[in-house]
C-alpha cells in the first residue's frame, strides 16, 4: 500500500504546525478543527500511566461522551475510533462488512509470523502468563513484585501493538524491563499445558529457548536492517528469508525477472525464500495448502460469504479473484484481482486484503499481510474527488521532465472512507491514506484507488493533546496560521500525496521496477516523490480555483509543518545516537534537509536560535516551492531511469544522518511535554444479529480495554502453529 502512516508525535506537529506531511496528517472534518488543532497538553499524565481522555463526541443527556484515548504505555497511546454512518447502511451492506471484518481478522496471525519466526510463540507465552501476572498485582503487597508485574504488562502490550518483539516503526528489538528471574518464576507457576511448548519439550527446556529470544538485545536486534554496506538479509530478523544471503536472493530473482515485460509479475510478493541443506534456493508460497494455509482457509471462508452479498457485480468478481489467488498463490491471479478491484468503483463498501506492502522486506520483494474494511463517506469524498478529477492537469503542469509524464492518466478513483476494522500490518498502528495497487503497470493501464481514512484521521485529531506548537513554532504569525489551517492543510497533503502523487510519472521503457533498480532505497524515494507532488501543488492557485482552499495560506501552513517535522519533530522517534532508517522518516528528512541546504544562498529557510532553542523559519515560500519542484524532477528522473547511484546518494547524504546536538535538544524539549510519540487503535467490534440462523442486522460496539481485545483475538483467531 502506497500510504501515509502516523505517530502521535507527528500528529501533534501536523495538527498544530499546519497539517500533515507524508505520514503526519491529523485533522478533523468537524467545524471545531481549529480548536482541536490548538488543544493543549493539560490532559496528559506521565508516560506509562493511564490518562484521562478527551471525548470524540460531546456528551448528551442520553449518552456519555465517547472516550478517544484509553491509556498510555511506554511510547504508545491507545486510542479508539468511531464508525459514523454504519447504522444508516442497508442490512445487506452491514452483513457484507461483517464477513469482510471476519476475513480481515482471520489472517492477523500471519503478520506476527512474517515479522519474526518466534513471534507467535513469544506472544502466546505472554498471553499464557497474563492472568497470573494480574493476580500478582492484585494479591500482593510486595512492591517489587508489583513493579515487576507492571513491567511485564507493558512489554506484553508493546508486543501486541507491534505485532511482535520489534518496534512497529523503528523495527528495533525492545526487551522487558522486568528481570528474567521474575519471568521464569511466573512461567513455572502456571499450568504447563497453557504454555506453547513444542512436542516433548519440558518447561525448563522451553525457558532456556525462549528467554534469550525475549531478553537478549543481541538476539535478532533489528527486524529490518537498511544499513548501507551490510548484508541486509542476514542482519534482519524478518521471517521472509531463511539461510539466504542478500547476494543469493538478488541472483535468484535476476534469473526470474523479465525487465522487458510490460506487465511484470510481482515476484516474491507472497512467498518465503529459503535455502535447504543441499544449497538449493526456492520459494515457499503463502496459499491454501502451503505456508499460512490454515489461516488463509479461514480468510477464504469469510470472503466466500461476502461474495454472496456483494454490492456490485464488479465487487463480486474482485472477491472471487482474491479467493482464487489465496487458493493458488498465482501472482498472475493477484494482478487479475487488482485490475478487477480497481474497476469496482460503484460499490459503497470496500476491502483491502492481502500481502501488500513491502516495507518489512529489506529488499522490497515480500509483502506483509494486512486488511482494511470500510465504506465510502459520500459527503467527505467531494473534496478528494475534486483533486482526482483534475489528475491530468496536475500531471501536465508538473515540473518533471516531459518524457516522464503520463500522456493519459487513467482511472484514478478518489474517496474518503469510513474504516470499520483494520488488521495485520494495518493495526493497531494504521495508515491514514491509501493508494493501490502497487504495480506500476496496472496503475498506468487500469488506474488506481486513492483514499483518505476519514474517521481514523478524525480520531487522531480528537486525541491531539497539544503543546508542540508553542514549543517548536517560531513566531506568533506561524502559530496563528497553524491554528487556522491545520486541519485543511493536513487533509489536502494526504489527498494529493495519494491521489496525484503516487499516481504520477512513468518509468522508461525497458527499465525495471523501482524495487529492482533502486533496491533498498525504493520505498523512501517513492514516498518522497509523492510528498513532493503534494508540496509543490499546495502553493498553486489551482487549488483556490477548485475551491478546495480559501487561500495559499493553507500551503504556507503545510510548508511550516513539513520543514519543522523533517528537520526536528520526527527526531523524537529516535533514541539519541541513532540514524534514520524507516522509509517515511528518511523521505521527510531527505526532502527537508535538501531544501534547507539548496536554499541557503537565498536564505529560503533560516535556522534561528532564540533563548537557547533552535527553530527553522521559512523566509520565502515561493522559492521553497521552486526547490520542491527541482527535487521532484530529480526523484522522478531517477525513478524513471532506474538510477540507483543517485537514489543512494540522496538518501545517504540527506536522509540518514542526524545532527546529534540538535537531536539531543529536540528530545529534551519534547520530553517536557509528556506525550507518547506513537499512537494506535483498539478496533470496533461487529456483532451480528441473527433471526432463524440468518443475519438481519449488525451492531457496532467499541471495546475500551486493549489487553482484553488482544486476548479475545488470540482465542478466536488462532489458526497457525507456533512455527510455520
Amino acid at each position: 500500500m502506497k500510504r501515509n502512516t502516523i505517530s502521535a508525535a507527528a500528529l501533534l506537529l501536523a495538527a498544530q504546525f499546519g497539517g500533515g506531511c507524508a505520514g503526519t496528517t491529523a485533522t478533523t472534518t468537524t467545524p471545531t478543527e481549529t480548536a482541536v488543532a490548538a488543544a493543549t497538553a493539560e490532559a496528559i499524565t506521565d508516560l506509562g500511566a493511564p490518562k484521562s481522555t478527551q471525548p470524540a463526541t460531546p456528551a448528551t443527556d442520553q449518552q456519555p461522551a465517547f472516550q478517544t484515548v484509553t491509556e498510555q504505555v511506554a511510547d504508545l497511546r491507545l486510542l479508539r475510533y468511531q464508525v459514523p454512518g454504519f447504522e444508516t447502511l442497508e442490512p445487506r451492506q452491514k452483513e457484507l462488512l461483517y464477513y469482510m471484518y471476519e476475513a480481515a481478522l482471520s489472517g492477523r496471525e500471519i503478520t506476527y509470523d512474517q515479522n519474526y519466526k518466534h513471534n507467535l510463540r513469544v506472544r502466546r507465552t505472554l498471553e499464557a502468563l497474563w492472568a497470573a501476572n494480574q493476580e500478582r498485582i492484585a494479591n500482593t503487597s510486595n512492591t517489587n513484585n508489583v513493579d515487576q508485574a507492571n513491567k511485564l504488562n507493558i512489554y506484553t502490550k508493546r508486543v501486541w501493538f507491534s505485532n511482535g518483539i520489534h518496534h512497529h516503526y523503528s523495527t528495533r528489538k525492545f526487551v522487558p524491563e522486568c528481570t528474567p528471574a521474575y519471568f521464569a518464576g511466573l512461567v513455572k507457576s502456571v499450568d504447563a499445558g497453557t504454555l506453547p511448548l513444542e512436542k516433548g519439550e519440558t518447561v525448563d527446556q522451553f525457558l532456556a529457548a525462549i528467554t534469550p529470544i525475549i531478553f537478549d538485545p543481541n538476539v535478532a536486534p533489528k527486524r529490518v536492517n537498511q544499513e548501507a554496506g551490510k548484508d541486509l538479509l542476514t542482519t534482519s530478523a524478518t521471517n521472509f528469508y531463511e539461510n539466504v544471503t542478500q547476494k543469493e536472493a538478488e541472483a535468484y530473482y535476476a534469473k526470474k525477472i523479465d525487465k522487458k515485460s510490460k506487465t511484470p509479475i510481482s515476484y516474491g510478493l507472497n512467498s518465503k525464500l529459503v535455502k535447504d541443506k543441499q544449497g538449493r534456493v526456492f520459494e515457499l508460497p503463502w496459499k491454501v495448502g502451503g505456508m499460512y494455509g490454515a489461516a488463509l482457509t479461514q480468510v477464504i471462508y469469510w470472503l466466500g460469504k461476502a461474495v454472496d452479498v456483494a454490492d456490485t457485480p464488479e465487487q463480486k468478481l474482485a472477491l472471487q479473484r482474491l479467493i482464487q489467488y489465496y487458493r493458488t498463490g498465482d501472482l498472475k491471479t493477484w494482478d487479475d484481482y487488482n485490475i478487477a478491484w480497481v474497476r469496482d468503483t460503484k460499490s459503497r463498501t470496500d476491502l483491502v486484503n492481502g500481502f501488500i506492502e513491502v516495507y518489512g522486506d529489506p529488499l522490497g520483494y515480500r509483502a506483509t499481510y494486512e486488511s482494511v474494511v470500510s465504506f465510502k463517506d459520500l459527503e467527505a469524498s467531494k473534496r478528494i474527488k475534486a483533486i482526482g478529477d483534475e489528475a491530468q492537469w496536475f500531471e501536465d503542469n508538473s515540473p518533471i521532465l516531459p518524457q516522464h509524464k503520463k500522456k493519459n492518466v487513467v482511472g484514478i478513483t478518489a474517496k474518503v472512507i469510513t474504516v470499520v476494522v483494520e488488521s495485520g500490518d494495518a493495526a493497531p498502528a494504521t495508515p491514514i491514506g491509501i493508494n493501490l495497487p502497487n504495480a506500476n503497470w496496472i496503475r498506468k493501464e487500469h488506474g488506481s484507488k486513492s483514499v483518505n481514512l476519514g474517521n481514523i484521521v478524525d480520531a487522531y485529531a480528537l486525541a491531539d493533546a497539544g503543546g508542540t506548537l508553542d514549543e517548536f513554532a517560531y513566531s506568533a504569525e506561524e502559530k496563528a496560521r497553524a491554528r487556522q489551517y491545520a486541519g485543511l492543510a493536513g487533509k489536502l497533503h494526504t489527498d494529493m500525496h495519494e491521489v496525484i502523487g503516487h499516481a504520477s510519472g512513468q518509468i522508461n521503457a525497458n527499465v525495471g521496477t523501482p524495487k529492482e533498480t533502486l533496491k533498498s532505497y525504493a520505498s523512501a524515494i517513492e514516498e518522497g516523490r509523492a510528498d513532493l507532488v503534494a508540496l509543490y501543488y499546495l502553493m498553486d492557485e489551482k487549488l483556490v480555483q477548485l475551491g478546495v482552499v480559501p487561500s495559499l495560506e493553507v500551503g504556507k501552513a503545510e510548508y511550516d509543518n513539513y520543514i519543522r517535522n523533517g528537520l526536528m519533530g520526527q527526531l523524537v522517534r529516535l533514541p539519541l545516537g541513532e540514524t534514520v532508517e524507516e522509509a517515511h522518516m528518511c523521505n521527510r528528512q531527505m526532502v527537508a534537509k535538501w531544501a534547507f541546504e539548496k536554499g541557503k544562498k537565498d536564505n529560503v529557510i533560516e535556522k534561528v536560535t532564540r533563548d537557547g532553542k533552535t527553530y527553522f523559519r521559512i523566509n520565502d515560500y515561493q522559492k521553497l516551492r521552486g526547490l520542491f519542484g527541482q527535487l521532484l524532477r530529480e526523484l522522478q528522473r531517477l525513478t524513471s531511469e532506474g538510477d540507483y547511484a543517485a537514489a543512494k546518494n540522496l538518501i545517504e547524504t540527506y536522509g540518514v544522518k542526524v545532527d546529534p546536538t540538535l537531536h539531543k535538544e529536540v528530545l529534551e524539549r519534547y520530553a517536557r511535554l509528556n506525550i507518547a510519540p506513537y499512537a494506535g487503535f483498539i478496533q470496533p467490534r461487529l456483532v451480528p444479529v441473527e433471526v432463524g440462523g440468518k443475519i438481519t442486522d449488525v451492531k457496532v460496539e467499541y471495546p475500551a480495554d486493549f489487553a482484553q481485545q488482544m486476548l479475545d483475538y488470540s482465542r478466536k483467531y488462532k489458526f497457525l502453529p507456533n512455527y510455520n
Side-chain angles (χ1 to χ4, degrees):
M1 186 184 305
K2 301 289 173 57
R3 68 190 191 183
N4 287 347
T5 55
I6 192 164
S7 75
L11 159 71
L12 297 171
L13 291 165
Q16 300 183 54
F17 284 12
C21 51
T24 61
T25 325
T27 54
T28 175
T29 56
T30 67
T32 59
E33 63 186 14
T34 301
V36 170
T40 67
E42 293 175 358
I44 298 296
T45 59
D46 291 339
L47 294 182
K51 62 178 294 300
S52 60
T53 59
Q54 186 174 353
T57 56
T60 66
D61 292 340
Q62 293 79 30
Q63 185 176 346
F66 183 85
Q67 301 297 312
T68 302
V69 186
T70 64
E71 63 178 310
Q72 189 160 296
V73 178
D75 63 349
L76 310 172
R77 299 178 79 206
L78 277 304
L79 316 178
R80 300 192 301 164
Y81 62 91
Q82 293 178 287
V83 190
F86 184 86
E87 67 283 353
T88 67
L89 298 174
E90 300 172 13
R92 177 194 53 77
Q93 290 174 322
K94 294 181 184 179
E95 182 181 0
L96 171 60
L97 289 168
Y98 171 69
Y99 295 146
M100 292 176 171
Y101 163 96
E102 289 290 348
L105 292 170
S106 293
R108 68 183 292 270
E109 287 201 324
I110 296 173
T111 305
Y112 278 88
D113 192 77
Q114 290 177 314
N115 284 344
Y116 181 48
K117 65 181 179 180
H118 297 294
N119 271 340
L120 284 174
R121 198 180 196 201
V122 170
R123 194 199 75 195
R124 288 167 181 168
T125 300
L126 298 170
E127 290 168 348
L129 303 178
W130 182 263
N133 202 44
Q134 308 324 302
E135 290 179 9
R136 292 278 181 97
I137 295 172
N139 300 326
T140 182
S141 58
N142 186 317
T143 56
N144 181 62
N145 278 351
V146 171
D147 179 62
Q148 292 289 305
N150 281 325
K151 287 176 177 177
L152 185 58
N153 277 355
I154 290 172
Y155 177 74
T156 303
K157 290 179 180 180
R158 295 189 72 187
V159 170
W160 283 328
F161 192 97
S162 296
N163 295 309
I165 67 172
H166 298 87
H167 196 278
H168 74 286
Y169 204 88
S170 72
T171 81
R172 294 176 181 84
K173 182 178 181 178
F174 50 84
V175 298
E177 293 185 12
C178 67
T179 65
Y182 177 82
F183 172 78
L186 199 60
V187 167
K188 292 181 178 181
S189 74
V190 302
D191 180 355
T194 65
L195 296 171
L197 304 179
E198 292 296 285
K199 187 176 181 179
E201 187 178 40
T202 67
V203 172
D204 285 338
Q205 290 171 330
F206 166 73
L207 271 171
I210 203 75
T211 299
I213 291 170
I214 293 176
F215 285 92
D216 190 339
N218 297 312
V219 174
K222 197 78 186 294
R223 175 165 61 85
V224 182
N225 181 39
Q226 294 285 9
E227 186 179 351
K230 301 287 186 179
D231 186 309
L232 301 185
L233 298 192
T234 60
T235 59
S236 295
T238 178
N239 196 25
F240 288 146
Y241 301 88
E242 190 85 31
N243 301 322
V244 178
T245 66
Q246 179 179 347
K247 186 176 181 180
E248 289 170 332
E250 290 174 342
Y252 178 86
Y253 286 108
K255 294 179 181 178
K256 294 178 72 76
I257 294 172
D258 178 8
K259 291 187 177 181
K260 295 182 179 180
S261 174
K262 295 182 179 180
T263 58
I265 297 295
S266 300
Y267 286 111
L269 192 73
N270 66 334
S271 67
K272 181 177 180 178
L273 193 66
V274 301
K275 184 172 70 174
D276 63 17
K277 294 180 180 178
Q278 288 73 42
R280 295 173 296 189
V281 177
F282 56 94
E283 292 175 290
L284 295 175
W286 306 328
K287 64 174 185 174
V288 173
M291 194 171 177
Y292 304 137
L296 293 175
T297 297
Q298 293 296 320
V299 174
I300 284 175
Y301 171 79
W302 292 106
L303 291 178
K305 286 183 159 300
V307 166
D308 294 336
V309 289
D311 261 349
T312 63
E314 291 81 5
Q315 186 181 60
K316 181 176 182 179
L317 176 62
L319 290 170
Q320 288 172 331
R321 287 184 173 171
L322 181 58
I323 290 171
Q324 183 184 5
Y325 164 65
Y326 280 142
R327 283 180 174 154
T328 64
D330 184 354
L331 287 169
K332 177 61 171 62
T333 302
W334 172 247
D335 288 341
D336 293 340
Y337 157 69
N338 277 283
I339 293 169
W341 180 76
V342 165
R343 290 175 176 171
D344 174 29
T345 59
K346 296 180 180 179
S347 297
R348 179 76 187 275
T349 60
D350 208 349
L351 170 72
V352 170
N353 189 295
F355 306 111
I356 298 173
E357 285 305 333
V358 297
Y359 298 115
D361 180 356
L363 298 186
Y365 285 97
R366 329 203 102 69
T368 311
Y369 173 83
E370 67 176 88
S371 188
V372 178
V373 178
S374 66
F375 59 93
K376 186 176 181 180
D377 183 331
L378 299 177
E379 183 61 30
S381 293
K382 293 177 182 178
R383 180 195 71 249
I384 194 171
K385 183 178 184 299
I387 294 171
D389 288 348
E390 294 289 337
Q392 189 66 59
W393 185 93
F394 288 114
E395 185 78 354
D396 293 342
N397 290 276
S398 171
I400 66 177
L401 295 171
Q403 62 266 35
H404 299 152
K405 295 180 181 180
K406 289 180 178 177
K407 302 300 184 289
N408 182 30
V409 179
V410 298
I412 294 181
T413 303
K415 60 185 178 180
V416 176
I417 62 172
T418 299
V419 175
V420 175
V421 73
E422 298 173 297
S423 178
D425 197 38
T430 170
I432 56 170
I434 298 172
N435 184 280
L436 287 174
N438 282 336
N440 286 311
W441 71 269
I442 296 179
R443 300 160 69 83
K444 180 180 179 180
E445 296 182 15
H446 302 280
S448 62
K449 286 184 181 179
S450 296
V451 301
N452 182 305
L453 283 62
N455 59 329
I456 296 295
V457 172
D458 289 347
Y460 273 126
L462 288 161
D464 177 21
T468 56
L469 182 62
D470 289 329
E471 180 60 45
F472 290 97
Y474 179 74
S475 68
E477 177 187 2
E478 292 164 0
K479 294 173 187 178
R481 182 164 51 220
R483 291 186 171 111
Q484 184 172 1
Y485 295 116
L488 182 57
K491 286 183 176 180
L492 281 172
H493 188 118
T494 300
D495 291 348
M496 291 192 289
H497 176 106
E498 301 296 346
V499 178
I500 60 172
H502 286 306
S504 67
Q506 62 182 356
I507 296 174
N508 293 358
N510 300 324
V511 173
T513 62
K515 73 178 181 182
E516 299 160 32
T517 58
L518 306 184
K519 302 181 181 179
S520 62
Y521 301 104
S523 292
I525 292 295
E526 174 59 23
E527 293 305 320
R529 196 179 67 84
D531 257 4
L532 286 162
V533 171
L535 289 167
Y536 183 77
Y537 282 116
L538 272 163
M539 286 293 293
D540 197 297
E541 287 288 347
K542 180 70 171 180
L543 298 188
V544 179
Q545 295 170 16
L546 290 175
V548 296
V549 300
S551 74
L552 296 186
E553 289 296 296
V554 176
K556 290 181 180 180
E558 184 64 3
Y559 279 24
D560 291 338
N561 171 68
Y562 197 90
I563 294 302
R564 289 192 183 86
N565 192 34
L567 296 178
M568 290 194 300
Q570 67 177 11
L571 296 181
V572 302
R573 306 176 188 179
L574 297 176
L576 189 62
E578 295 282 355
T579 57
V580 180
E581 292 186 36
E582 196 277 332
H584 296 84
M585 288 183 67
C586 278
N587 139 49
R588 287 189 289 267
Q589 180 170 285
M590 179 267 292
V591 171
K593 273 194 170 183
W594 186 94
F596 176 63
E597 180 181 296
K598 300 302 180 182
K600 278 184 177 180
K601 179 181 177 182
D602 295 325
N603 201 28
V604 176
I605 304 169
E606 183 179 3
K607 184 178 181 181
V608 182
T609 300
R610 185 178 65 196
D611 299 328
K613 295 181 179 181
T614 301
Y615 302 88
F616 288 90
R617 178 175 62 192
I618 299 172
N619 292 319
D620 194 321
Y621 291 90
Q622 285 299 333
K623 284 186 178 180
L624 180 54
R625 185 196 185 207
L627 290 171
F628 286 150
Q630 291 176 35
L631 185 55
L632 171 58
R633 177 181 293 207
E634 173 60 9
L635 292 195
Q636 184 60 61
R637 183 202 66 76
L638 63 86
T639 299
S640 297
E641 298 176 0
D643 190 340
Y644 173 81
K648 178 181 179 181
N649 180 63
L650 275 172
I651 297 300
E652 294 295 336
T653 302
Y654 299 103
V656 175
K657 300 172 185 176
V658 176
D659 178 343
T661 303
L662 180 60
H663 190 187
K664 182 174 183 292
E665 177 193 328
V666 170
L667 290 176
E668 290 173 350
R669 291 165 66 181
Y670 189 82
R672 291 192 287 270
L673 301 176
N674 288 327
I675 304 169
Y678 299 96
F681 289 93
I682 301 171
Q683 302 298 315
R685 178 168 56 230
L686 297 193
V687 182
V689 177
E690 297 187 41
V691 176
K694 178 175 174 56
I695 295 177
T696 59
D697 196 10
V698 178
K699 303 296 185 183
V700 181
E701 296 179 353
Y702 299 103
D705 189 324
F706 178 61
Q708 190 58 54
Q709 179 167 87
M710 293 295 99
L711 293 169
D712 290 343
Y713 280 176
S714 293
R715 283 189 290 267
K716 185 174 182 180
Y717 303 106
K718 183 181 179 180
F719 300 124
L720 297 180
N722 296 330
Y723 293 103
N724 295 272

